[in-house]
């Protein structure tokens, strides 16, 4: 909650400082903005966006890319791993994660996701981790891409009852006529289901 005092350390990760280490941002290319992007992002490669150690919460993700091929929204695959997991808790094309499906840019204005004119993608979901947070991005496209980003997070104690964030993308095209399509199955324990 905003009104509670907490002993937190603010951090920001970007293209030149994936660990969000204090004093390490804005150092490349003579300072100022440094290197806020992954450029070039080679086809078929996976890049680490954030590798944070300790206990904390991702608070905000901002990203953008130069206008061009709309397939980039579906070709860049975002994955998030909490506390040393082998399988990701989040695995989703970047466009769909930010509520821009069908490989099309759309302005979005919600509390959790905000996509602004000029293709600035923002996510405000609170995503806790207790030992480690690793976020990666894979370029499944056939062309190189440029990806600008910043991930804002805090290090500090995470409440015992804070739930992990999970998101998956599933698609069948075309959907077989009159067949049942299962959206969610096999989930156990407490939680909250939100879907878009």
């Amino acid at each position: 909650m905003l009104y509670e005092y907490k002993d937190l350390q603010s951090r920001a990760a970007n293209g030149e400082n994936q660990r969000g280490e204090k004093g390490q941002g804005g150092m490349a290319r003579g300072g100022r903005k440094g290197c806020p992007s992954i450029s070039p992002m080679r086809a078929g490669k996976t890049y680490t966006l954030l590798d944070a150690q300790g206990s904390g919460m991702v608070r905000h993700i901002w990203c953008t890319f130069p206008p061009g091929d709309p397939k980039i929204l579906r070709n860049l695959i975002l994955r998030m791993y909490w506390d040393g997991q082998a399988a990701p808790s989040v695995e989703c094309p970047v466009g769909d994660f930010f509520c821009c499906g069908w490989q099309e840019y759309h302005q979005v204005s919600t509390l959790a996701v905000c996509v602004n004119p000029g293709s600035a993608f923002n996510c405000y979901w609170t995503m806790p981790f207790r030992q480690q947070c690793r976020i990666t991005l894979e370029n499944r496209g056939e062309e190189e891409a440029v990806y600008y980003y910043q991930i804002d997070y805090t290090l500090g104690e995470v409440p015992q009852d804070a739930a992990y964030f999970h998101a998956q993308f599933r698609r069948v095209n075309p959907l077989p006529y009159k067949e049942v399509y299962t959206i969610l199955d096999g989930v156990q324990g407490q939680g909250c289901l939100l879907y878009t």
Side-chain angles (χ1 to χ4, degrees), residues 69 85-86 96 102 126 128 136 146 150 167 179:
D69 186 359
Q85 295 172 308
D96 295 274
W102 300 289
T126 302
T136 66
V146 176
Q150 181 168 312
E179 286 194 19

Side-chain angles (χ1 to χ4, degrees), residues 11-157:
R11 295 285 186 265
N14 61 29
E16 68 177 335
N17 187 13
Q18 293 86 9
R19 290 186 168 269
E21 295 174 315
K22 192 173 181 179
Q24 296 304 304
M27 305 284 285
R29 300 181 185 163
R32 196 166 138 68
K33 288 208 172 186
C35 181
S37 68
I38 300 172
S39 176
M41 189 175 192
R42 303 201 189 285
K45 299 286 185 183
T46 299
Y47 296 83
T48 298
L49 304 182
L50 173 65
D51 186 4
Q53 304 296 317
S55 177
M57 291 190 187
V58 173
R59 308 248 177 199
H60 172 236
I61 299 173
W62 167 86
C63 68
T64 192
F65 20 80
D69 186 359
K71 290 185 278 190
I72 195 169
L73 295 172
R74 188 58 57 82
N75 288 340
L76 298 182
I77 309 300
L78 187 64
R79 293 186 181 91
M80 300 182 193
Y81 303 82
W82 315 127
D83 302 338
Q85 295 172 308
S89 286
V90 173
E91 187 169 29
C92 190
V94 72
D96 295 274
F97 183 82
F98 289 96
C99 302
C100 289
W102 300 289
Q103 301 179 35
E104 294 178 7
Y105 164 82
H106 295 283
Q107 185 172 346
V108 179
S109 297
T110 71
L111 288 175
V113 176
C114 185
V115 179
N116 301 323
S119 69
F121 295 78
N122 292 275
C123 165
Y124 297 96
W125 292 110
T126 302
M127 301 179 231
F129 53 94
R130 290 173 173 83
Q131 299 163 11
Q132 180 200 28
C133 168
R134 188 166 63 93
I135 300 177
T136 66
L137 192 67
E138 178 186 3
N139 182 2
R140 285 194 176 172
E142 297 177 1
E143 305 290 330
E144 291 182 345
V146 176
Y147 185 76
Y148 293 87
Y149 78 97
Q150 181 168 312
I151 301 171
D152 300 313
Y153 65 101
T154 55
L155 294 175
E157 186 178 341

